[in-house]
Amino acid sequence: MTERIFEQDAFARQTTATVTGCAAGENGFAVTLDKTVFFPEGGGQPGDRGRLDDTLVLDTQEQDGDVVHLCDRPLKPGDNVEAVLDFDRRFDMMQQHTGEHMLSYAFWKLFDAVNVGFHLTEELATLDLDRPMDPQQIRQAVAFANRQGFEDHPIRVYTARAEDLDPARVRKISAKGGQTPRVVDMEEGDVCTCCGTHVRSTGQALPITVTHADKHKAGVRLTFLCGGRALAHWQKLADVTDALGRLFSTDAAQLPDRVRELQQSAAEARRRLREIADALAELEAARILAGRGDDTVVLACLENTPAGEAKTMLNLLIRQPVCAVVVYTQGDTLGFYCGAHPKSKCDCRQACELLCGILNGKGGGKTDFAQGGAKKTDDWQERARSVVQVLNRQASAR
Ligand SMILES: [Zn+2]
């Protein structure tokens, strides 16, 4: 059975060990040692990574009561290796894990809320509480946990018989710990059973912050950050705030007001732009209709125009007793609408067929309205004009 150095000393970074076994598996080679500083996944904390000499340890797992190092290549039983932990990664995990104890204690102490779930990865740490918490309660608990950190209480780890523990102080006793569970005891703070690794004192987990609260089952799931993760998070926020402050030439406190002003002026600009676009469309429709002479079919060609504006143009044109063809482009694509005033004798379906033919497109519709689309060509306006000429010749021959 492997001697678990991390249980006594979570800050041990390396040890010389003897390989006691090596088996090939699906995810690499499962290597066991006579002793190890590598923590196997458990209690919500991921397994450690590092190296055994030059062999990478990709993960560490508990298997049949032993610690298994999943390695990228095999090692020979009997050989001595230098087992070196990725301690930066482990220390980050210990900060999150210890912070989880401190937050859980704060919610339990202040609001009787019970931690019913803990999830920790390299990117994310969450804890689940059995009841909902409002933002004010969460702020209170976070402040409480950080205060415990400022007081920098030592964290002791020992084994004890469950019945010897003071029930008033113990937040949780896990059944997995057996007769003499491993106890993690924060002086004047959290006491619970846990198999994981923790920092030496509450101050080493600081700062502690909660970034999200999402409804989860009957309670809430809190996303939290401790230590280096919290600092990195705030640095990111500070960078964003600083960049925004420069853009708006203001300090952070004024940013919400400045963004609101910007939203209002953008809405006003959009409204004004719509008015101008509508007035321009009216003028363009009037120009087309005024220049139609004896034609009963009119054409509007609109470059880089949204479909909605093209439809508006169609409706403006067929207020007069004509048939209208509106062809518009957007990037590489082209669309068209054909519409007819009730007094117009034009057949929009036929117009659509002719357009589809000459533009190599697809479309369909009824006598009074049809639409379609095609790929844009360099001469799309000429092609559309030729169709409208044919329709006008047909109309005048009737
Ligand atoms: Zn723990």
Side-chain angles (χ1 to χ4, degrees), residues 43 45 97-98 100-101 118 182 184 192-198:
Q45 185 177 330
H97 189 143
T98 307
E100 183 246 354
H101 281 249
F118 169 46
R182 186 167 182 264
V184 179
C192 74
T193 60
C194 182
C195 67
T197 55
H198 310 81

Side-chain angles (χ1 to χ4, degrees), residues 69-355:
H69 309 75
L70 291 166
C71 295
D72 66 339
R73 57 184 189 216
L75 288 170
K76 209 163 111 211
D79 279 0
N80 283 340
V81 288
E82 200 58 26
V84 182
L85 193 60
D86 177 348
F87 189 73
D88 287 346
R89 180 175 178 275
R90 158 73 88 69
F91 186 70
D92 167 62
M93 296 297 178
M94 295 203 294
Q95 284 189 313
Q96 314 315 311
H97 189 143
T98 307
E100 183 246 354
H101 281 249
M102 292 163 71
L103 275 174
S104 302
Y105 178 71
F107 282 105
W108 178 65
K109 188 85 178 159
L110 296 177
F111 308 115
D112 269 336
V114 175
N115 174 336
V116 289
F118 169 46
H119 183 64
L120 175 60
T121 67
E122 282 174 34
E123 290 82 30
L124 186 78
T126 61
L127 74 86
D128 303 338
L129 297 174
D130 66 341
R131 63 199 64 190
M133 288 288 140
D134 65 36
Q136 179 60 23
Q137 289 173 310
I138 294 169
R139 267 195 291 274
Q140 264 179 271
V142 168
F144 184 98
N146 278 286
R147 208 161 45 243
Q148 288 235 310
F150 298 146
E151 291 164 5
D152 202 21
H153 300 292
I155 299 172
R156 290 192 306 128
V157 180
Y158 51 86
T159 52
R161 292 192 312 170
E163 57 267 35
D164 292 342
L165 297 169
D166 176 2
R169 286 198 64 214
V170 178
R171 177 171 60 85
K172 187 183 79 179
I173 296 180
S174 167
K176 285 184 200 160
Q179 290 295 311
T180 52
R182 186 167 182 264
V183 180
V184 179
D185 185 330
M186 299 181 182
E187 197 177 281
E188 292 183 45
D190 194 42
V191 178
C192 74
T193 60
C194 182
C195 67
T197 55
H198 310 81
V199 292
R200 290 187 177 120
S201 67
T202 53
Q204 288 188 331
L206 291 188
I208 297 171
T209 187
V210 169
T211 55
H212 286 98
D214 301 300
K215 196 176 159 3
H216 180 69
K217 295 182 182 166
V220 64
R221 171 163 289 176
L222 303 174
T223 303
F224 66 95
L225 302 164
C226 305
R229 286 193 197 188
L231 288 179
H233 172 71
W234 284 321
Q235 187 58 57
K236 206 162 62 186
L237 291 186
D239 290 346
V240 170
T241 310
D242 187 54
L244 286 174
R246 283 173 202 276
L247 283 172
F248 285 94
S249 302
T250 188
D251 61 49
Q254 304 300 319
L255 279 173
D257 284 344
R258 299 303 301 273
V259 171
R260 256 191 299 277
E261 283 165 22
L262 188 71
Q263 284 176 326
Q264 279 164 4
S265 65
E268 175 60 21
R270 278 197 299 275
R271 191 189 61 74
R272 187 77 194 113
L273 199 63
R274 248 190 328 266
E275 279 177 8
I276 293 168
D278 289 349
L280 272 177
E282 287 272 5
L283 281 173
E284 177 64 1
R287 188 189 67 77
I288 292 168
L289 291 167
R292 76 182 168 99
D294 295 330
D295 288 350
T296 55
V297 184
V298 294
L299 171 69
C301 291
L302 308 175
E303 205 139 8
N304 280 327
T305 302
E309 283 182 28
K311 192 84 175 280
T312 301
M313 175 58 76
L314 182 84
N315 290 328
L316 288 171
L317 291 169
I318 61 174
R319 285 189 302 190
Q320 299 274 327
V322 296
C323 172
V325 173
V326 178
V327 189
Y328 62 98
T329 63
Q330 266 192 312
D332 289 342
T333 62
L334 171 153
F336 59 82
Y337 292 118
C338 306
H341 184 278
K343 287 186 182 160
S344 157
K345 294 190 177 78
C346 178
D347 179 355
C348 292
R349 248 183 327 210
Q350 190 216 350
C352 178
E353 274 169 27
L354 288 172
L355 282 163

